[in-house]
Amino acid sequence: MTCEAARRQFDLYLYGELQFGEEEVVERHVEECASCREELSRCRSLHHAMDALESVPPAGLLQASRREFWSRVSRERVAPVGIVARIWSWVSRVTASPAFMRPVGAVALLAVGFMGARAWDSAKSKSEQPVLHVRSVVPDASGGFRLVLDEVRQRTVTGRLDDARIQGMILSAAAGSTDPMLRASSMDALKDHCERADVRKVLLTAMRQDPNFSVRLKAIEGLKPFARDPETRRALSEAVLSDDHPSVRTMAIDLLAGDRENAVIGVLQELMLRESNPDIRQKSLKALRASNASPSTF
Amino acid sequence: MVTGKGQALSAMMAASPVATEEADLVRAAQRGEQDAFTALISTCDQGVLRLAHNLLKNEQDAFDIYQETFLRVFRSLHVFRFDCSFRTWVYRIATNLCLDYLRKRKVRKEESSLVNTGQGEVLDRTAVVAEENPNLDPQRSLLSAELRDAVERVLGELTPRERLVFEMRHYQGLRLRAIGEVLGTTEEAAKNCLFRATQKMRLALGDFI
């Protein structure tokens, strides 16, 4: 192998992208050639220098991105789906179908157009009827669609939390409502029932994904009695490292403080590296000292 | 060097029990199961955000890429046909969006981004500086500002495709085969692209190392 050929392979060698045989040839050449050895060492230094330049997304960006995404998804889900959107969904489906299905799709679209024109007037005359909200449209195996509809009909129900029906409704409001006030009051109602796995699941999801920080705080508060539960501890650790609201990070540290688990200590040490809020840094430092742990990982 | 990371990520992308589990999750999400969709997104959203942030060096752009990628995933999941893994599909969407951003940025830069301050100084309006926390990595603070500037400059001179391949191989640790699949090209083409990128960097940074 010539020096030039060996040097062309150095980057792929360092990335571990060479075949076993190719790697052997490069290594043998480098063992025998001092100048290539030096060149490989320079390449390695360059790779290390590049490693150090990786820009890490700031704490909170992932959580903020997730929250915005789920909030957009929930807006899309609850938005009333008009006739145009429904037809467009059909068009997308047809254009994505195998070629042999497309003529069938074209005939179906013509039929939709014809029926749509006829239905237009009758739809207008029925406009006083309650509007249905389409929650989801899922194609089924027969080529049709399965639609889940929300019908808006107001009524009052009363009951205690030990009533499964009442608890189910509150769980649903806590997890699915677009109104943050309603989600927060539902969290309040559920917080004394954390012994139930489904309640904990809703609170954990809210802690991780809810776009409103007050709701996230309520969820953390509700999970207090389960702070030592592994899943809760994981969610609290995530909040400590990536929630964009300082109150949430502070409350999560409070719940994790005193836990001498290595993983928790590691989270607090990691926080010391990335946290810029002095109060939170102080709190984390205090928690680490209480656990007889150092503030850094060395 | 990120060969360790690379092996781990590639293993995740290869056919395995993990892949089977992923396919089950995709089917469940296609049936409208929210938990399955949430689980699917959480398998790859951190990687997508990291890719976009490191590539575009801008928090807002990374945030936008995240939103656009996963909204497209949400809207098109019902037409996903398992021609590739879900993760590859998501990365394909994200990388195409990133490429568009990089190309637009390059055009803007070539057109009119250089402004004369009037004090004999020329500034690049589109140049973005990565947000850095000096506590994040002690190695980083040791790196000379000069070298950092040189690296930023040479990364800016790579073509969007070279930049993307380098980013996915060096920082994301994806194997070249997986990168080829994401970009809809061959492993060989991805290898050539990486070779060009590293050659340019070695030439430009040779004096610093």
Side-chain angles (χ1 to χ4, degrees), chain B residues 59-119:
Chain B
E59 220 174 292
Q60 185 58 48
D61 288 349
F63 180 87
D64 292 344
I65 293 279
Y66 181 106
Q67 301 307 322
E68 193 53 38
T69 300
F70 290 106
L71 281 172
R72 286 188 189 190
V73 168
F74 171 69
R75 289 169 188 152
S76 319
L77 189 65
H78 67 285
V79 292
F80 177 70
R81 293 180 182 283
F82 300 92
D83 298 331
C84 58
S85 76
F86 174 77
R87 180 181 288 266
T88 300
W89 183 55
V90 172
Y91 267 80
R92 197 173 287 163
I93 295 172
T95 51
N96 279 328
L97 288 167
C98 286
L99 275 174
D100 283 348
Y101 263 64
L102 286 171
R103 284 178 187 137
K104 279 178 198 155
R105 194 181 276 180
K106 218 172 169 68
V107 169
R108 281 203 306 271
K109 202 168 178 172
E110 280 163 6
E111 278 172 357
S112 61
S113 70
L114 297 180
V115 271
N116 200 319
T117 60
Q119 294 160 343

Side-chain angles (χ1 to χ4, degrees), chain B residues 1 21 24 33 44 59 64 67 83 103 200 207:
Chain B
M1 272 181 305
E21 196 183 310
D24 291 343
E33 287 176 29
C44 53
E59 220 174 292
D64 292 344
Q67 301 307 322
D83 298 331
R103 284 178 187 137
K200 284 182 187 178
D207 294 341

Side-chain angles (χ1 to χ4, degrees), chain A residues 44-56, chain B residues 1-2 5 54 57 130-144 147-148 151-152 155 166 170-171 209:
Chain A
R44 196 172 271 128
S45 304
L46 183 61
H47 277 232
H48 284 313
M50 297 298 303
D51 284 348
L53 284 168
E54 181 178 14
S55 72
V56 180
Chain B
M1 272 181 305
V2 280
K5 271 197 277 180
N54 210 26
K57 306 272 185 227
E131 194 177 311
E132 284 193 32
N133 177 351
N135 294 323
L136 203 62
D137 185 353
Q139 201 180 352
R140 184 180 294 187
S141 26
L142 291 176
L143 198 71
S144 78
L147 171 59
R148 198 158 43 230
V151 171
E152 293 293 346
L155 285 177
F166 175 75
H170 194 93
Y171 293 119
I209 305 290

Side-chain angles (χ1 to χ4, degrees), chain A residues 32-50:
Chain A
E32 290 161 3
C33 175
S35 81
C36 282
R37 219 167 24 247
E38 196 183 324
E39 182 58 26
L40 180 60
S41 159
R42 290 177 71 233
C43 275
R44 196 172 271 128
S45 304
L46 183 61
H47 277 232
H48 284 313
M50 297 298 303

Side-chain angles (χ1 to χ4, degrees), chain B residues 24-74:
Chain B
D24 291 343
L25 280 174
V26 173
R27 283 189 198 95
Q30 285 177 327
R31 286 194 299 270
E33 287 176 29
Q34 157 96 28
D35 285 354
F37 185 61
T38 308
L40 268 178
I41 298 295
S42 62
T43 58
C44 53
D45 68 338
Q46 202 166 353
V48 166
L49 188 71
R50 219 159 57 99
L51 172 77
H53 187 265
N54 210 26
L55 205 57
L56 305 172
K57 306 272 185 227
N58 181 299
E59 220 174 292
Q60 185 58 48
D61 288 349
F63 180 87
D64 292 344
I65 293 279
Y66 181 106
Q67 301 307 322
E68 193 53 38
T69 300
F70 290 106
L71 281 172
R72 286 188 189 190
V73 168
F74 171 69

